């Protein structure tokens, strides 16, 4: 299923300036039903070092991922469910669309 | 220099492992851009950039040559660099001043040791690169295998922009994944004629798959491109090229093209890639200004941007002496300079007047009256400027980051055949050492012999040959010697009193120094921890100097002592009899006594050796390496050949090539480069000390 995609809220600082760290997948009514999100981190906690990502818009649902393995910086999320991980946002978009 | 706008200038280097085809590719570039009207060949000894006699005779590049060409209204300044590790200094200094590079790897062997070394050098200077997988016409060539070695050995995100159509003698062209078309060469007119056609049906699926990877990877650095993709389901060629350029400059990924320069296929699209993806002088962040002593390096460092109207700033990166005098190659980073102007050599604090200026084309030159930001030119008339010095306008006397030079690992003694040539030889060697920062000259304090230190046997052989051909000095050469070093393995505190007070003005100085070992490559570090003036301030530099001078002659076998720290913690002085000389003498003696008690050891250079041999000789090669104290690192098979990689002491590698040839009937080849210094085994240390006694 194809979605319309738009830039989300976050940004990543890069050598060439800020870049979107979230892309929202919108249904026909314009409601966000999926997202691809760049993993933050590494984040140091008492339990170890993780990469982190908020799975929902309110940032209530946080997922921690161990370091390594590093199998891609972008997480494909539908609702609060992670459906895949990819090295590039476009590839993560395809994972979302394939899972819908 | 010319009226080419800055955004249409490309200052690039061509770099690779030996024999990967750098000079051959450069020749094609010069031919297709109309600079030359015939194609020179390395094996014929008539290429443009290999202009030295030794280069033409041996079929290798020794010195980096600068050439300029025009392609589609752009000016491309190219530096063709050597591949042999002995001439790595040329690659080092070229990469330092370039904005981008074509990195060539061979389609049969893929990434080789020297490719890795040069890649890391380019990383050090953040040089954006496009990769060209060459020699796809060769038997055994495999684009995909060579491509895999990029990821495995260089650990990079390699991004193919092309796929080969056919391979070996059936290689006819490439699939262009950016424009989704095939480019096919027609065979005649030395590759000048080619045409576009649809992608062959049997490659279409594969091409689509790779284009999707290209889009995924490239658009990840370009949000506007992502939006265009979401809107249209694809992006324009212009958008895709913009994203590829961004990713290339930031190093997010490395674009990969392919072809065979020797068979004249793939070079024109490579030139297009230079324009499309490598940066102009204004696309790069600018060169960093050196930090003040004690200040940390980092993002806060000021950068000099390419701006013709700013105060002048340039870096001298190469010096050559020829019959017309000394030519100093300068990369201009900012400002405009005319012949006759005066600038500051801010590294040395001297004024320099610019005589004539030239745009170089290998060994030929065209006089120019002005240089501007972004240019590379050669200046005549500079008196005190050496490699790595900054030239800057007096109103903004910046010092640019200096260049790092490799450590020589081989010594030879050299003496003129006739006594009346002594002065001539010394002057000539000084000039050669002035051109080449990886060449060091010193006099053995005990024998009085002149010692030449270089990067390898070939490096020194070429220097001796140049001494004869260019300066007319015939010399007797000693056998090559390993450049051993000495260091210490434990800490020791030594106190030494120098006292000579028998009548007349005397000498008195006492120093207490802690000697401590440092990690490899840390050099010699001095710290002054004297409190309460037990050694007066004015004598501290004499202590520092005394140790540094004495460290050149180690306590075990007279080799330079490295990787240790000495801390002056206490001492005594006499109001009348103490002097700087007395403290220097005391420091030297303290070093000699103290180092003996700090568990001194001898270090030897260990080389990273890679041997490519037919399968049936692997056993002989490995057995031989073991006998040479080699540590096998890995073995990899590719078709019927095996590549063995090992770490071997340099001492065991002298004359190895002839032994390898006889062992494998001439079918194996090897390369080696310096890897690290390591303590020598006890029995060998004893041998070395016995020889030096």
């Amino acid at each position: 299923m194809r979605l319309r995609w738009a830039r989300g809220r976050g940004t990543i600082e890069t050598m060439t300036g800020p870049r979107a760290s979230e892309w929202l997948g919108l249904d026909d009514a314009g409601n966000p039903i999926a997202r691809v999100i760049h993993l933050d981190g590494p984040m140091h906690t008492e339990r170890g070092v993780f990469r982190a990502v908020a799975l929902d818009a309110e940032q209530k649902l946080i997922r921690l991922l161990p370091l390594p393995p590093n199998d891609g910086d972008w997480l494909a999320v539908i609702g609060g469910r992670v459906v895949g991980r990819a090295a590039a946002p476009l590839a993560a978009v395809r994972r979302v669309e394939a899972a819908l | 220099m010319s009226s080419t706008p800055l955004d249409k200038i490309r200052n690039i280097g061509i770099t690779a492992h030996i024999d990967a085809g750098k000079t051959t590719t450069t020749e094609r570039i010069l031919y297709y851009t109309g600079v030359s009207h015939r194609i020179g060949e390395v094996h014929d000894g008539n290429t443009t950039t290999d202009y030295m006699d030794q280069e033409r005779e041996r079929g290798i590049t020794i010195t980096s040559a600068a050439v300029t060409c025009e392609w589609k209204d752009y000016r491309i300044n190219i530096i063709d660099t050597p591949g042999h590790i002995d001439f790595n200094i040329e690659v080092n200094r070229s990469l330092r001043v370039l904005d981008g590079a074509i990195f060539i790897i061979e389609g049969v062997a893929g990434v080789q040791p020297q490719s890795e070394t040069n890649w890391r050098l380019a990383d050090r200077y953040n040089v954006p690169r496009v990769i060209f997988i060459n020699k796809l016409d060769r038997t055994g060539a495999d684009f995909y295998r060579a491509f895999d070695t990029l990821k495995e050995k260089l650990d990079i995100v390699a991004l193919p922009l092309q796929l080969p159509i056919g391979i070996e003698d059936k290689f006819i062209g490439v699939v262009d994944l950016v424009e989704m078309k095939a480019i096919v060469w027609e065979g005649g007119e030395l590759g000048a004629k080619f045409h576009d056609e649809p992608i062959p049906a049997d490659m279409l699926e594969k091409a689509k798959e790779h284009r999707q990877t290209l889009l995924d990877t490239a658009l990840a650095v370009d949000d506007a491109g992502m939006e265009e993709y979401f809107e249209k389901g694809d992006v324009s060629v212009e958008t895709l090229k913009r994203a590829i350029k961004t990713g290339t400059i930031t190093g997010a990924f490395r674009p990969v093209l392919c072809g065979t320069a020797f068979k004249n296929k793939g070079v024109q699209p490579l030139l297009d890639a230079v324009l499309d993806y490598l940066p102009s002088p204004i696309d790069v962040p600018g060169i960093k200004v050196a930090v003040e002593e004690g200040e940390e390096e980092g993002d806060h460092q000021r950068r000099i941007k390419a701006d013709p109207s700013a105060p002048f700033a340039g870096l001298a990166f190469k010096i050559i002496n020829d019959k017309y005098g000394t030519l100093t190659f300068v990369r201009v980073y900012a400002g405009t300079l005319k012949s006759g102007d005066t600038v500051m050599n801010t590294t040395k604090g001297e004024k320099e007047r610019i005589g004539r200026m030239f745009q170089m084309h290998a060994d030929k030159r065209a006089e120019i009256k002005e240089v501007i930001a972004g240019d590379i030119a050669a200046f005549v008339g500079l008196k005190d400027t050496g490699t790595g010095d900054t030239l800057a306008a007096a109103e903004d006397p910046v010092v640019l980051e200096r260049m790092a030079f490799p450590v020589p690992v081989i010594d030879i003694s050299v003496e003129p055949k006739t006594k009346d040539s002594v002065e001539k030889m010394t002057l000539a060697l000084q000039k050669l050492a002035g051109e080449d920062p990886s060449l060091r000259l010193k006099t053995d304090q005990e024998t009085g012999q002149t010692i030449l230190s270089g990067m390898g046997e070939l490096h020194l052989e070429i220097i001796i040959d140049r001494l004869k051909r260019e300066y007319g000095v015939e010399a007797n050469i000693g056998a090559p010697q390993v450049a051993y070093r000495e260091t210490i393995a434990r800490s020791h505190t030594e106190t030494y009193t120098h006292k000579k007070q028998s009548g007349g003005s005397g000498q008195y100085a006492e120093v207490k120094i802690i000697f401590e070992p440092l990690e490899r490559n840390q050099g010699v570090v001095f710290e002054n921890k004297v409190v309460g003036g037990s050694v007066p301030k004015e004598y501290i530099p004499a202590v520092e100097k005394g140790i540094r001078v004495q460290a050149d002659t180690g306590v075990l076998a007279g080799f330079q002592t490295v990787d240790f720290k000495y801390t002056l913690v206490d001492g005594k002085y006499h109001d009348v009899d103490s002097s700087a000389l007395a403290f220097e003498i005391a420091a030297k003696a303290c070093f000699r006594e103290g180092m003996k008690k700090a568990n001194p050891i001898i270090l030897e250079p260990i080389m990273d050796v890679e041997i490519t041999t037919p399968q049936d000789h692997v056993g002989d090669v490995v057995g031989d390496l073991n006998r040479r104290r080699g540590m096998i690192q890995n073995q990899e098979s590719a078709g019927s050949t095996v590549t063995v990689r090992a770490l071997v002491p340099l001492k065991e590698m002298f004359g190895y090539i002839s032994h390898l040839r006889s062992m494998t009937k001439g079918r194996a080849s090897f390369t080696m480069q310096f890897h690290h210094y390591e303590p020598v085994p006890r029995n060998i240390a004893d041998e070395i000390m016995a020889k030096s006694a």
Side-chain angles (χ1 to χ4, degrees):
Chain A
M1 179 183 166
R2 296 296 300 270
L3 300 176
R4 276 193 309 117
W5 289 88
R7 283 186 215 208
R9 294 180 308 176
T11 54
I12 324 165
E13 283 306 320
T14 70
M15 271 175 74
T16 48
R19 193 159 295 144
S21 68
E22 181 186 54
W23 293 87
L24 298 175
L26 311 173
D27 64 13
D28 291 342
N31 299 315
I33 57 165
R35 51 172 43 89
V36 300
I37 320 162
H38 187 262
L39 294 173
D40 290 329
M43 194 175 87
H44 296 264
T45 74
E46 282 176 3
R47 289 190 294 132
V49 184
F50 297 94
R51 303 193 71 181
V53 63
L55 300 180
D56 59 337
E58 292 76 36
Q59 305 206 0
K60 284 181 185 161
L61 190 56
I62 304 287
R63 179 159 177 150
L64 295 180
L65 295 136
L67 274 182
N70 183 6
D71 55 354
D73 281 351
W74 291 83
L75 218 56
V77 181
I78 301 171
R81 187 169 57 96
V82 176
V83 295
R85 197 165 162 184
L90 212 50
V93 163
R94 282 205 306 282
R95 299 245 195 298
V96 166
E97 290 181 341
L100 279 170
Chain B
M1 188 187 292
S2 79
S3 55
T4 311
L6 272 178
D7 65 334
K8 291 198 165 185
I9 292 178
R10 298 289 181 274
N11 289 313
I12 64 157
I14 300 187
T15 179
H17 188 88
I18 193 164
D19 275 343
K22 299 172 294 295
T23 304
T24 302
T25 306
T26 309
E27 280 301 311
R28 270 64 187 173
I29 290 175
L30 296 180
Y31 178 72
Y32 299 135
T33 56
V35 172
S36 54
H37 299 289
R38 59 159 185 84
I39 291 180
E41 299 294 0
V42 174
H43 55 261
D44 292 336
N46 60 358
T47 61
T48 305
T49 49
D50 286 352
Y51 57 83
M52 288 168 69
D53 292 340
Q54 294 92 334
E55 291 178 316
R56 295 187 162 192
E57 285 165 13
R58 293 165 192 256
I60 57 167
T61 303
I62 292 168
T63 183
S64 50
V67 289
T68 298
C69 60
E70 307 260 332
W71 182 249
K72 299 182 177 173
D73 295 334
Y74 284 69
R75 176 149 59 85
I76 309 176
N77 297 315
I78 304 172
I79 297 188
D80 174 29
T81 61
H84 197 289
I85 187 65
D86 282 14
F87 309 105
N88 203 244
I89 179 68
E90 294 290 333
V91 185
N92 192 332
R93 57 181 163 196
S94 303
L95 288 172
R96 175 71 167 76
V97 298
L98 293 168
D99 300 320
I102 296 173
F103 197 85
I104 300 181
I105 69 163
E106 222 229 58
V108 181
V111 172
Q112 293 164 283
Q114 185 61 23
S115 326
E116 288 182 61
T117 305
N118 289 349
W119 188 268
R120 280 188 259 285
L121 268 179
D123 278 345
R124 184 196 294 173
Y125 299 127
N126 291 321
V127 179
R129 279 146 273 179
V130 293
I131 296 164
F132 185 63
I133 300 182
N134 193 22
K135 299 195 179 184
L136 289 184
D137 62 306
R138 286 279 181 96
T139 305
D142 184 334
F143 171 83
Y144 299 96
R145 191 178 62 217
F147 179 82
D148 285 343
T149 65
L150 288 167
K151 291 187 282 185
E152 287 159 14
K153 295 191 174 173
L154 303 179
D155 193 24
I156 56 169
V157 180
L159 188 59
L161 305 187
Q162 296 174 340
L163 300 176
I165 304 176
I167 198 73
E168 300 180 345
D169 57 346
K170 294 188 175 59
F171 176 74
I172 55 163
V174 297
V175 169
D176 177 343
L177 297 168
V178 176
E179 300 197 33
M180 283 302 271
K181 64 182 184 185
I183 305 171
V184 175
W185 276 263
E186 289 162 22
E189 300 188 28
L190 298 170
K193 275 202 168 177
F194 57 93
H195 64 270
D196 296 349
E197 55 182 61
I199 295 171
D202 62 342
M203 288 191 70
L204 197 54
E205 272 315 301
K206 188 182 251 185
K208 280 182 182 168
E209 203 181 294
H210 278 91
R211 187 161 199 276
Q212 190 59 61
T213 307
L214 171 59
L215 289 171
D216 286 356
T217 313
L219 297 184
V221 301
D222 189 318
D223 285 351
M226 285 276 284
E227 282 166 335
E228 186 180 326
Y229 181 85
F230 290 137
E231 199 177 312
K232 299 177 186 164
D234 202 346
V235 292
S236 66
V237 168
E238 191 189 17
T239 299
L240 185 52
K241 284 185 174 178
R242 181 186 69 213
I244 296 170
K245 183 172 182 178
T246 303
T248 306
I249 293 173
T250 58
F253 50 79
R254 309 292 183 181
V256 180
L257 296 97
C258 62
T260 161
F262 182 58
K263 291 289 169 68
N264 311 311
K265 295 181 178 83
V267 176
Q268 297 93 333
L270 179 64
L271 276 168
D272 290 340
V274 167
L275 311 188
D276 289 335
Y277 310 128
L278 291 181
S280 75
I282 49 175
D283 292 326
V284 288
I287 187 169
K288 281 181 181 170
V289 172
V291 292
E292 299 285 333
E293 207 178 319
E295 196 186 333
E296 293 266 320
E297 290 185 356
D299 291 340
H300 64 280
Q301 278 175 264
R302 182 182 159 201
R303 285 181 182 271
I304 301 290
K305 292 281 231 174
D307 176 2
S309 58
F312 180 82
L315 187 77
F317 67 96
K318 182 181 168 82
I319 290 168
I320 57 171
N321 295 288
D322 67 7
K323 56 190 172 187
Y324 304 108
T326 302
L327 273 176
T328 308
F329 285 71
V330 176
R331 163 70 200 255
V332 181
Y333 285 100
T336 303
L337 195 69
K338 294 183 171 61
S339 33
D341 284 354
T342 299
V343 291
M344 288 291 294
N345 175 331
T346 49
T347 309
K348 297 198 170 118
E350 304 283 342
K351 274 186 184 172
E352 288 275 24
R353 188 176 174 279
I354 309 300
R356 298 165 76 191
M357 298 193 289
F358 296 96
Q359 182 180 5
M360 296 302 292
H361 183 69
D363 57 340
K364 298 179 180 59
R365 58 184 78 178
E367 185 157 2
I368 48 176
K369 294 291 171 203
E370 181 184 88
V371 290
I372 63 164
D375 281 337
I376 290 175
F379 296 176
V380 177
L382 303 187
K383 291 190 175 64
D384 296 314
T385 299
T387 302
D389 288 358
T390 301
L391 298 172
E395 68 261 35
D396 187 12
V398 291
V399 179
L400 303 175
E401 277 193 333
R402 280 189 70 83
M403 303 161 106
F405 298 120
V407 187
V409 288
I410 287 190
D411 296 346
I412 52 167
S413 63
V414 48
E415 57 184 49
K417 282 190 175 162
T418 55
K419 279 195 172 165
D420 51 352
S421 305
V422 174
E423 200 178 329
K424 201 173 162 188
M425 183 189 84
T426 308
L427 282 173
L429 286 177
Q430 279 168 353
K431 278 194 172 180
L432 289 168
E435 287 181 13
D436 180 352
S438 62
L439 186 70
R440 309 269 164 86
L441 200 58
K442 67 179 179 190
T443 305
D444 186 308
Q445 290 178 2
E446 285 169 20
T447 63
Q449 280 181 313
T450 300
I451 306 292
L452 208 52
S453 307
M455 300 306 298
E457 288 174 280
L458 181 62
H459 182 207
L460 293 175
E461 197 183 315
I462 296 289
I463 293 295
I464 298 303
D465 195 35
R466 288 187 64 192
L467 196 61
K468 184 177 165 189
R469 289 190 202 214
E470 294 171 29
Y471 297 94
V473 180
E474 297 259 15
N476 290 322
I477 311 301
Q481 303 290 327
V482 175
Y484 292 107
R485 300 275 185 268
E486 293 183 23
T487 190
I488 49 174
R490 68 177 174 86
S491 300
H492 173 74
T493 305
E494 180 73 21
T495 304
Y496 187 88
T497 309
H498 173 63
K499 199 171 175 183
K500 201 175 159 193
Q501 291 174 306
S502 51
S505 63
Q507 288 182 17
Y508 182 87
E510 182 175 302
V511 290
K512 184 179 180 184
I513 296 173
I514 303 171
F515 296 97
E516 296 166 271
L518 292 177
E519 295 288 314
R520 292 287 89 81
N521 298 321
Q522 298 302 301
V524 177
V525 176
F526 172 65
E527 191 177 0
N528 171 27
K529 277 195 178 168
V530 168
V531 286
S534 56
V535 176
K537 245 186 347 197
E538 63 267 33
Y539 298 144
I540 304 288
V543 175
E544 183 178 2
K545 182 185 165 198
I547 300 282
R548 284 195 188 273
V549 169
Q550 194 62 54
D552 278 345
T553 313
V555 294
L556 286 178
F559 298 113
Q560 191 187 358
T561 310
V562 296
D563 301 338
F564 72 97
K565 180 181 178 185
Y566 59 109
T567 308
L568 178 64
V569 288
D570 203 359
K572 285 182 190 159
Y573 71 102
H574 185 277
D575 282 336
V576 178
D577 291 344
S578 284
S579 63
L581 180 65
F583 271 95
E584 190 179 325
I585 293 170
K588 283 180 176 175
C590 188
F591 174 89
R592 288 193 297 268
E593 295 303 316
M595 293 303 254
K596 281 182 199 161
K597 298 167 195 161
N599 194 7
I601 51 174
I602 297 176
L603 302 172
E604 65 179 339
I606 305 294
M607 310 304 280
D608 183 1
V609 180
E610 190 175 283
I611 300 135
T612 304
T613 173
Q615 202 119 38
D616 40 345
H617 291 294
V618 176
D620 298 334
V621 168
V622 170
D624 182 61
L625 284 172
N626 286 330
R627 279 190 292 279
R628 291 171 189 268
R629 295 193 282 135
M631 299 279 287
I632 308 295
Q633 301 298 297
N634 63 31
Q635 287 183 40
E636 273 175 27
S637 298
S640 61
T641 61
V642 175
T643 302
V644 181
R645 200 160 180 174
L647 294 175
V648 192
L650 174 62
K651 177 181 186 291
E652 310 294 340
M653 292 302 291
F654 286 133
Y656 181 66
I657 185 65
S658 47
H659 185 74
L660 181 69
R661 278 181 189 147
S662 71
M663 199 165 47
T664 63
K665 299 184 177 65
R667 293 166 66 203
S669 62
F670 89 106
T671 60
M672 71 173 180
Q673 55 189 308
F674 172 70
H675 193 268
H676 68 282
Y677 267 97
E678 197 172 281
V680 297
R682 186 73 231 174
N683 60 324
I684 303 216
D686 290 343
E687 249 176 54
I688 296 165
M689 286 189 285
K691 258 190 197 172
S692 73

